[in-house]
Each structure stands twice: as structure tokens, then as C-alpha cells.
Amino acid sequence: SFPHLALGALLLLGLALSVLAPAYMPFSLALSVAAFFATLRGITGISALLLQAGLAGKDLCKPDQPRIPEAVGVIVGAVYLVTMFLYIPFHFRSYVFAEDFPHNKFVEFICAILSICCMIFLGFADDVLNLKWRHKLWLPTMSTLPLLMVYMVNFGSTTVSVPLMLRPFLSRSIDLGPLFYVYMGMLAVFCTNAINILAGVNGVEVGQSVMIGLSILLHNTIQILLGNAWHQDHELSAQIMLPFVAVSCALLLHNWYPARVFVGDTYCYFAGMTFAVVGILGHVSKTMLLFFLPQVFNFVYSVPQLFRIIPCPRHRMPKFNADTGLLEMSMTVIPKQNISLLQSFIVKTLRTLKLAHVKEDNDAFTMNNMTLLNFVLMVCGPLHEKTLSSRVMLLQVRLPFLFLSKTVPLLSHLSVVVGLLSGAGQRCCLYHPLRASHFVL
């Protein structure tokens, strides 16, 4: 199953990193294995407590709609924090009585944990209090300020490399100045919310996080193997990401179809801030966006509903058909009586480009809710919940690899292997007029 494949990939990458960086990574791998088993046990123990506290929700994509404990991400985040607390003394063990203690590296670890801890608190508060969106936007920004200060003091570079296709028109690099810090702050806000809005079926929230985490670890491994000049930053990235993927794999075993727990907003914000921390402190903030390509598509596709231009229901998840046992597109209705010019333009544009399923009658337009999950269902037709989750996971790994393979040739071969393994027995042609290509799912 997908959770076991992800766990196997994590172990392989952990062993590879332990060989390439033997000073720190073996202990990080050992702690990550311990964190995996601690999370498995912790989830089992906390589930009953969450049900007693009323932190539970209905699984709307099941015939009997069972009540399942929510906010389980709080135990996952707690185990991760304890793991990092135990790792930091080991990492700096050789500097305890030294005069040249690396305070800059120590502050990076502390600020990383501080930012992640703040987002775990926000996520749990959201699960309990159901915070408004305005709170979810400015709190991640505040949580990122310590990271940006550490980046400015320890590194300070605001120069970015220009993509190859734009270099004939621009230079090889551009100094963005203060705009670079604005970009990194916005990256943190995007990461913490992007995973939260791509949700609704078993395993998607934690599954996409595991795939992004494994992609980052693979990128770190390749860069260390190639002798990248910034290998210490990639080692720091791996040290933060390895225990995260370990605790996430434990959660995935409980959350994959059929889910026994819900991850809650706690996990989504915890995962998003962990990725933002790695992007900022690991100096891979631009590469991080490539790993978030499905989330970027989901956000851009969802903008008309997120900003209430198109009617947005409380739940945009796919609709469960009890007769077939399959998931279908959920729909929203736009009455013609009060339709604005902007709404009419959006609906007609999406219909022309075949980016939405639109039905029109005398009274209203009816179209699918604008999420990546509904888009996949529009292209592939009704799917079983487990199949839908698996295909979204494949998109999560294929899209970034297609772009990264242009700069790292080794990734192009790995992308083909991943596609063949993941697509065995399943084919779905995700095609639309803007892209004359297809992805094997």
C-alpha cells in the first residue's frame, strides 16, 4: 500500500543520508525510527480521549458516515518537537565546552522549533475554536519573523537565480532586496494554508505532506552526493525533514483509506510551517515552490471561490454516491438573476478552456467546486476514494520531478521509474487545451 511504500522510501533515503553525512544523520535516523513508533502508539492512545472531548467529525465519504477522532495532528506535532529537543544536544555535543560554539547554527534550530511550535498551537486552536480566515493569515506571518531575522543575520543574500529561459532577456541573477523577505513571508503563509485547502478525502492531507517531504529528502541526498557548495544547508534541511516524514508516515497508516483518525488543522499548519522552515533556513525557498506545484494549481484554481466571487459552500469535498460507492464532483450553483459580469466571464472562460464542468439552464449555471480533487474527478470520471487519493499522490511526485529534471538529469530517470511503479494497472489522461501532454497515473 502507499503508506508502506512511503515508509520504505523514507528508510532508504535515511540510510543514504547516513552514509553521505555520517557525523549527524545516523542519530537523526535512529531518533526518527523511535519517533515513528512513538507516534503510532500515541495516536492509538489519544484517539479515545479526543472522542470523549467531542473532537470528532463525520466521514462524509462513507455510507454510514462514522464519527472519527479529529485533531490527531497534535500528538504528531508533540512527538516531533520532543524528537528535535533530543536531537539538538547531540548535534552540538562536540561544542559543549568549546570557545567557538556555533551560535548561528544553534539559533537556526531554536527559531525553527519556535516557528513550528507556534503553528501547532494555531492549528489546535483552530480545531477547537474554528478560527476565522483573517487569523489564519497574519499568525503565520508573525511566526515567520524570527526565521527571517535569523536568515538576514546569518546569510543575508537577497539574490535569486533567473530561470534559464529568461536569462537571454535578463541577467543570471537578480537582487530583489527587501522584496525577497516579503516573498519568504508570503511563502510561509502559503505553505501553512495550501495543504489545508487541498483536503476532503482520506489520506490526502498527510499523503501530500509525505510526498513533499520525501521529495525534499531526495533533493537533499542528490545535492550532497553531487558535492553541492551548500551541502551544510541540505544537511540541516534533512535533519529537520527526516523526523517529520517519520511521524507523518505513522499518521498516514491511521489516516489512509479507510481512515481511523482525521489529522485536523493542527497537522496541516504543522506540516506547512515545517516546509517553510526548510525552505528559508535551507535556502531552497524557490525550489520549495516546485514541490508545491499541485498546491499552487489548487490555490489558483480555487481563487474565485476563496474570494467569494463564485459561491463557495462550507465543504467543497467530492460528493459520495451511495448507489455506486464512488466519489463524484461536488457542485455549486450560480443564479443568473444576480450574476455579475466578472462571474459570467469566469464561468464562460473555464467552460471554454475545459477547466470546469458547467451546466446551464434558464435559471442558473451549475459548475463543479474549484478544487484539484474535483478537477481530477472531472477529467477521470467518478473514482473510488482510495483511487482518487492515490492519483493525487502521483501528481504530487510527477509534476515537481518534470520541472526539476531540467536542472538535475538524474531526476528525469527517477521520475520515469516512479511513474511506471505508481501507474501500474492505472491510466488516466489528464489533458486540457493549455497543455499538450499527459500524465500516466
Side-chain angles (χ1 to χ4, degrees):
S1 65
F2 171 71
H4 294 94
L5 287 174
L7 185 58
L10 172 64
L11 289 174
L12 288 175
L13 289 171
L15 291 172
L17 286 166
S18 298
V19 172
L20 295 172
Y24 305 111
M25 292 311 302
F27 187 70
S28 179
L29 177 60
L31 279 180
S32 299
V33 172
F36 170 80
F37 289 105
T39 305
L40 278 180
R41 186 176 180 85
I43 291 174
T44 303
I46 200 175
S47 296
L49 296 177
L50 292 173
L51 286 172
Q52 292 175 8
L55 291 174
K58 292 183 178 180
D59 193 343
L60 300 178
C61 295
K62 302 294 187 298
D64 52 348
Q65 297 188 356
R67 286 182 61 81
I68 295 176
E70 277 188 309
V72 176
V74 68
I75 187 65
V76 180
V79 173
Y80 176 81
L81 290 176
V82 171
T83 303
M84 293 303 297
F85 291 153
L86 293 173
Y87 175 75
I88 289 176
F90 174 84
H91 185 89
F92 295 98
R93 67 193 186 283
S94 59
Y95 298 98
V96 174
F97 301 107
E99 295 182 358
D100 58 340
F101 189 90
H103 294 91
N104 57 336
K105 290 296 180 183
F106 181 74
V107 170
E108 287 184 349
F109 274 105
I110 297 302
C111 284
I113 293 177
L114 174 63
S115 297
I116 293 171
C117 188
C118 287
M119 293 314 299
I120 293 174
F121 169 75
L122 171 64
F124 191 68
D126 191 19
D127 282 326
V128 176
L129 304 176
N130 194 21
L131 299 177
K132 296 184 181 298
W133 269 102
R134 60 177 177 266
H135 302 137
K136 301 177 184 180
L137 293 179
W138 69 264
L139 280 174
T141 306
M142 297 298 103
S143 300
T144 313
L145 289 180
L147 285 174
L148 298 181
M149 290 297 297
V150 169
Y151 180 89
M152 182 178 67
V153 173
N154 288 354
F155 193 65
S157 174
T158 56
T159 302
V160 297
S161 298
V162 175
L164 294 175
M165 67 285 295
L166 297 179
R167 289 183 182 178
F169 311 99
L170 302 171
S171 60
R172 290 178 59 88
S173 61
I174 297 178
D175 187 1
L176 296 180
L179 291 178
F180 187 70
Y181 293 98
V182 175
Y183 160 72
M184 289 195 293
M186 294 176 63
L187 175 69
V189 176
F190 172 76
C191 289
T192 52
N193 288 281
I195 293 175
N196 196 31
I197 63 175
L198 180 51
V201 297
N202 291 172
V204 166
E205 298 100 319
V206 63
Q208 64 185 298
S209 301
V210 167
M211 295 307 299
I212 294 172
L214 290 174
S215 299
I216 294 171
L217 286 172
L218 178 60
H219 180 62
N220 296 148
T221 304
I222 292 174
Q223 294 301 324
I224 295 173
L225 180 63
L226 296 177
N228 188 290
W230 304 103
H231 66 91
Q232 289 186 345
D233 297 325
H234 288 286
E235 289 180 15
L236 173 64
S237 172
Q239 291 155 17
I240 295 174
M241 194 53 55
L242 195 63
F244 168 78
V245 179
V247 297
S248 297
C249 283
L251 178 59
L252 185 61
L253 288 172
H254 287 271
N255 184 243
W256 193 249
Y257 181 90
R260 299 186 295 277
V261 299
F262 286 149
V263 300
D265 292 334
T266 308
Y267 177 81
C268 295
Y269 294 136
F270 158 55
M273 182 52 74
T274 305
F275 295 136
V277 164
V278 167
I280 294 172
L281 296 184
H283 307 144
V284 289
S285 56
K286 300 177 293 297
T287 305
M288 185 65 66
L289 276 184
L290 291 179
F291 295 129
F292 271 81
L293 279 178
Q295 286 73 23
V296 171
F297 172 83
N298 185 62
F299 172 74
V300 174
Y301 189 49
S302 300
V303 161
Q305 286 193 304
L306 294 178
F307 289 93
R308 308 294 176 177
I309 301 172
I310 300 297
C312 182
R314 177 177 173 81
H315 296 294
R316 299 188 298 156
M317 67 181 65
K319 180 181 67 175
F320 177 72
N321 188 325
D323 296 329
T324 62
L326 302 177
L327 297 183
E328 302 173 349
M329 294 178 292
S330 61
M331 311 297 285
T332 187
V333 178
I334 309 171
K336 286 186 175 180
Q337 182 178 2
N338 300 318
I339 193 170
S340 66
L341 290 176
L342 181 58
Q343 287 177 324
S344 178
F345 172 76
I346 292 173
V347 171
K348 292 178 180 179
T349 301
L350 291 174
R351 180 169 58 182
T352 302
L353 298 177
K354 301 187 185 305
L355 290 173
H357 178 76
V358 181
K359 293 182 178 180
E360 181 180 2
D361 56 31
N362 295 329
D363 299 323
F365 289 100
T366 302
M367 63 180 293
N368 61 281
N369 283 309
M370 302 168 70
T371 67
L372 178 61
L373 297 176
N374 284 308
F375 180 77
V376 173
L377 291 171
M378 180 192 74
V379 175
C380 301
L383 297 171
H384 189 273
E385 184 175 4
K386 185 177 181 179
T387 305
L388 176 59
S389 298
S390 299
R391 291 183 173 176
V392 172
M393 293 308 101
L394 182 56
L395 280 177
Q396 186 66 63
V397 69
R398 287 297 302 275
L399 289 180
F401 272 57
L402 287 174
F403 283 86
L404 284 173
S405 61
K406 304 300 181 183
T407 56
V408 183
L410 176 60
L411 289 177
S412 63
H413 303 293
L414 290 174
S415 177
V416 173
V417 173
V418 170
L420 292 175
L421 292 176
S422 304
Q426 300 184 67
R427 294 185 67 88
C428 173
C429 185
L430 287 186
Y431 173 84
H432 59 82
L434 299 180
R435 181 179 67 240
S437 61
H438 72 276
F439 300 94
V440 178
L441 298 187

